[in-house]
């Protein structure tokens, strides 16, 4: 069935099945969520900064919490971002060793997003953006989709014009050969040279550049070390811990 094929594709590609028709959600008990906030969990922290347009329902308790969201950015939250990045770099390395480029790219996506938040927002005294801005979003999507260096280039990861270019190349060869059969005196090599002289630059324009995930990893590791040194330099500007009084109205 279609569902079975999608599940099989997800199992082998590292991606989840298409969930465009599904409403995905997760739920936290209020006390558990608050405890994770105090521990500066990046996922929970960023929920406080979720864009208004992305909210479906907001309780009065949540509004009160969001009013004080800036107080949850502390030295501990900076450290938790660093820890989150390092954990996902290790997961990406495990997937690299297992030869699973799709899942390696998935964990590197988390790394890229949190590095951006840390460098451009938190350390600059700005709140997390949560949603990836451009051009970071496009770069991450391209990394997720591939193709990746050392892996087969499937048509699903190619520019949509590439199949048309391939069809044009094959059609051109057939036409020239048929023409040659009809007229043996035809300058076949000249026609081939002219035809492919136009096609080769077109292929060069639309053929996808392979993503080197190892290079992405090395750059991320270098950037992370820079961020660690920057945190050491500016951390005194941030409170050490979250003021738990902010959560008193949660009971």
């Amino acid at each position: 069935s279609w569902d079975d094929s999608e599940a099989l594709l997800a199992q082998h590609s590292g991606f989840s099945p298409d969930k465009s028709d599904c409403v995905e959600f997760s739920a936290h008990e209020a006390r558990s969520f608050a405890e994770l906030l105090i521990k500066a969990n990046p996922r929970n922290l960023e929920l406080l900064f979720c864009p208004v347009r992305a909210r479906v329902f907001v309780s009065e308790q949540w509004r009160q919490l969001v009013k004080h969201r800036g107080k949850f950015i502390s030295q501990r939250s900076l450290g938790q971002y660093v820890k989150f990045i390092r954990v996902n770099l290790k997961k990406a390395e495990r997937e690299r060793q297992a030869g699973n480029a799709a899942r390696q790219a998935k964990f590197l996506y988390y790394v890229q997003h949190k590095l951006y938040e840390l460098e451009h927002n938190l350390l600059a005294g700005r709140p997390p953006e949560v949603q990836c801005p451009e051009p970071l979003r496009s770069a991450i999507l391209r990394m997720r989709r591939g193709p990746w260096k050392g892996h087969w280039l499937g048509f699903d990861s190619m520019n949509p014009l590439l199949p048309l270019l391939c069809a044009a190349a094959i059609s051109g060869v057939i036409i020239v050969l048929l023409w040659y059969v009809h007229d043996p005196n035809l300058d076949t090599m000249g026609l081939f040279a002219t035809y492919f002289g136009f096609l080769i630059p077109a292929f060069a324009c639309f053929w996808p550049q392979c993503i080197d995930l190892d290079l992405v990893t090395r750059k991320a590791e270098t950037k992370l070390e820079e961020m660690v040194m920057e945190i050491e330099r500016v951390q005194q500007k941030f409170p050490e811990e979250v003021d738990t009084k902010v959560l008193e109205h949660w009971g």
Side-chain angles (χ1 to χ4, degrees), residues 117-191:
E117 292 286 22
L118 191 58
E119 178 182 14
H120 294 275
N121 293 321
L122 297 181
L123 287 177
R126 293 189 289 267
E129 292 181 55
V130 185
Q131 292 183 329
C132 293
E134 294 292 352
L136 176 64
R137 181 178 181 275
S138 294
I140 285 176
L141 285 175
R142 185 164 174 263
M143 182 178 67
R144 285 293 308 272
R145 292 168 179 164
W148 307 285
K149 186 176 180 181
H151 290 261
W152 170 249
L153 301 183
F155 277 108
D156 59 329
S157 59
M158 291 184 177
N159 188 294
L161 289 177
L162 275 173
L164 297 178
L165 288 173
C166 291
I170 295 170
S171 301
V173 171
I174 294 172
I175 290 171
V176 171
L177 289 176
L178 289 175
W179 200 348
Y180 178 74
V181 170
H182 178 71
D183 183 6
N185 296 321
L186 182 70
D187 182 9
T188 312
M189 294 306 296
L191 275 175

